[in-house]
Each structure stands twice: as structure tokens, then as C-alpha cells.
Amino acid sequence: MLDKSRLDARGAGDAALGRRQRIVGRTTLPATYTAPMIDLSGKSAVVTGGSRGIGRAIVLRLAEQGADVCFSYRGNIEAADTVLAQVGAIGRRRRAVQADATDPASADTVVKAALEEFGKVDILVNNAGITRDDLIMRMSPEAFREVLETNLFGAFYATKAVTRPMLKARSGRIINITSVSGQAGQMGQANYSAAKAGLIGLTKATARELASRGITCNAVAPGFVETELTSGLPDELKQQIIERTPLARFATVEEIAYAVAFLASEEAAYITGQVLAVDGGLVMM
């Protein structure tokens, strides 16, 4: 006797029953199959650095999945207004707060704004980050410090600010945007690699500290992503990166945002302290 549940898990159950099938990527699925949707309805999120690039994609994806979103931005008011309009068009509540990630008080201000607007914070995405690339022998202490203060200290400040309301609610999702540079290091990015490696340590420590209250903390480690920053790379360097990447292309910002949405969802409730690499196989650990 056929075990239909096992056949369906292998994408072949309907073939055994003689029903029509369709192909999605490399997986065979029934024609009537509907992918389960990550439902963030009723959730509220804070995203740092949410006006451009990966941060903007995360804000829009969380809104598409049903969440209300408060995001911070450093100084580009026009970009922030554009994202606010896009979130509004989706039908979600939204708020933008100009903030400096290196300032602990700014983190408190952003979280307070979200609490005032939505009444709670269910999701925190620490995305704000900068680069100041140079070789170690030429890198100034200021450039090293500035990157760590934004990319690592900023994530700590935001996490600290959101901890109390999440502890009170006995639930929450914290997602840190790290990088393959934090996993494997990158020449000319000693400051950035150190900050992103530190963010992985912060993720694991936070996960252990808050797990007993139903709060998870995970990280997403993008590889090379199509953004304004990477668009300016020399073609020769882009080709070298593509050749080093098993999937032979750069990621899109939307692909990073999908991973964040998953980790923010109930489907990821039993995942904590993990680093999800979205890098096309570039760093296999």
C-alpha cells in the first residue's frame, strides 16, 4: 500500500494517483498546490537603515506579508518618504524616524516611536551598516571605529532598546544582517569583517539570553548583492565574484528580504542562534 504523505513529500504523490502536475524549479508539485504564505498580519516591525538597498527591500517585504513597519534612516529624507508611500500603498501602518545608529539614545527613540504608533514591537531587523574599505596598513583608527560603531554597536543599542517590550510580551523576533565577510573575512574590509563577525557573536549570545522568554534571534548573511554599492564595482571584479559563487550570480535584495521574512515568521519559531547564509553557496560552512 502506498504511503501518500511520503510520496507527496517527495513531490511525486500526485503522479502516483495519475493527476496532472506542474513543475516549480526542480520540484514536482500538484497542479492545485498553493505555497503556504508567511503571515505577519497583526505584527509590528522595526527595521534600522530601511530607506535604501537591502533595508528598503526588507521593509517592503515585511509589509507585503502583513506587518506594520517603523524604520530608521540616516539622512536621505526623499528616499524615506518614497518607502513610506510604498508601505502606505500596500495598506500597512508605517513610520520613519531619522536616527544615528551610533547613538544609543537614537535607538531608544526609534523603538519608542514604534511603540507609540503600533503599541508593540514584534520584530526587530538590525540592518543599518556602512563600509569604509581600505587595507589594514592604510586604514585609519577612525575608519575602523566608525564601521564598528555603526554596524555592531548600533545593533547592540537597538537590541537593548527592544528587549524590555519583547520580554514583557514574552515573544519576539530579532534578525541581524551580517555578511559572508563576517564568516570568512574579506581583504580590504578588516573593519567591516570584524563588525559582521561580532554581529554573529551578538546573535548567538542574544539567542541564549532571551530564549526562555520566547524570543528568537538569528542572522542573515548575504553574499554579494545587486545594490547601488556593488553596481560601481569594476566589471572584472564582478566576473571574479560570479566565478567564485556556485550559483554564478549576485543575489537580489528581494532574496535577502525573503529570508528575513521567514525568520520573522511563526514558521521559524523553533530556530534561534543560527546564521542563514544567502550567498549562492559562496561560503559553505
Side-chain angles (χ1 to χ4, degrees):
M1 180 178 179
L2 293 176
D3 185 339
K4 183 179 180 296
S5 64
R6 292 180 62 188
L7 287 171
D8 284 344
R10 296 173 185 171
D14 282 346
L17 297 175
R19 293 210 297 263
R20 177 173 153 268
Q21 299 177 338
R22 62 186 177 90
I23 304 297
V24 178
R26 295 186 179 181
T27 305
T28 305
L29 297 170
T32 57
Y33 177 84
T34 301
M37 178 181 176
I38 293 172
D39 187 4
L40 300 179
S41 299
K43 303 294 185 181
S44 60
V46 169
V47 180
T48 67
S51 64
R52 301 169 65 186
I54 292 173
R56 171 183 171 276
I58 291 170
V59 169
L60 296 179
R61 175 46 48 195
L62 295 179
E64 288 280 4
Q65 303 300 147
D68 299 318
V69 188
C70 174
F71 66 90
S72 67
Y73 67 98
R74 188 170 187 176
N76 193 328
I77 297 176
E78 184 178 350
D81 286 343
T82 298
V83 177
L84 283 172
Q86 290 173 315
V87 175
I90 295 170
R92 309 299 174 215
R93 291 183 294 172
R94 69 279 189 200
R95 186 158 178 183
V97 180
Q98 187 169 6
D100 179 358
T102 68
D103 179 15
S106 288
D108 292 332
T109 298
V110 174
V111 172
K112 183 179 178 181
L115 291 171
E116 290 175 349
E117 192 73 27
F118 311 134
K120 59 177 182 171
V121 176
D122 301 293
I123 301 159
L124 168 66
V125 183
N126 284 311
N127 169 75
I130 61 170
T131 57
R132 296 289 184 268
D133 297 350
D134 211 340
L135 296 175
I136 290 174
M137 65 181 294
R138 293 201 296 258
M139 185 178 291
S140 68
E142 292 75 21
F144 192 90
R145 184 181 301 111
E146 185 178 1
V147 170
L148 261 74
E149 287 181 347
T150 300
N151 298 13
L152 179 57
F153 283 45
F156 165 72
Y157 298 147
T159 299
K160 181 177 174 64
V162 85
T163 296
R164 190 177 298 278
M166 284 189 175
L167 286 173
K168 185 176 180 180
R170 300 188 69 87
S171 68
R173 300 281 186 270
I174 300 172
I175 301 111
N176 296 320
I177 306 302
T178 181
S179 168
V180 294
S181 295
Q183 295 177 301
Q186 183 69 25
M187 186 175 69
Q189 288 192 321
N191 48 7
Y192 187 78
S193 297
K196 293 300 187 178
L199 196 52
I200 292 173
L202 177 62
T203 297
K204 294 179 180 294
T206 303
R208 289 188 181 278
E209 193 168 319
L210 302 181
S212 65
R213 296 298 184 94
I215 302 166
T216 67
C217 183
N218 294 286
V220 173
F224 289 90
V225 185
E226 294 174 352
T227 63
E228 292 180 15
L229 184 64
T230 58
S231 66
L233 294 175
D235 290 339
E236 183 179 354
L237 179 56
K238 288 181 181 179
Q239 188 57 39
Q240 290 175 4
I241 293 169
I242 290 171
E243 290 174 357
R244 287 167 49 201
T245 305
L247 288 181
R249 64 176 178 85
F250 281 42
T252 66
V253 292
E254 289 78 15
E255 287 171 318
I256 310 306
Y258 282 128
V260 172
F262 166 67
L263 290 174
S265 72
E266 289 303 313
E267 286 83 349
Y270 201 59
I271 302 172
T272 196
Q274 303 304 307
V275 180
L276 176 56
V278 186
D279 64 357
L282 183 63
V283 179
M284 297 190 186
M285 302 183 69

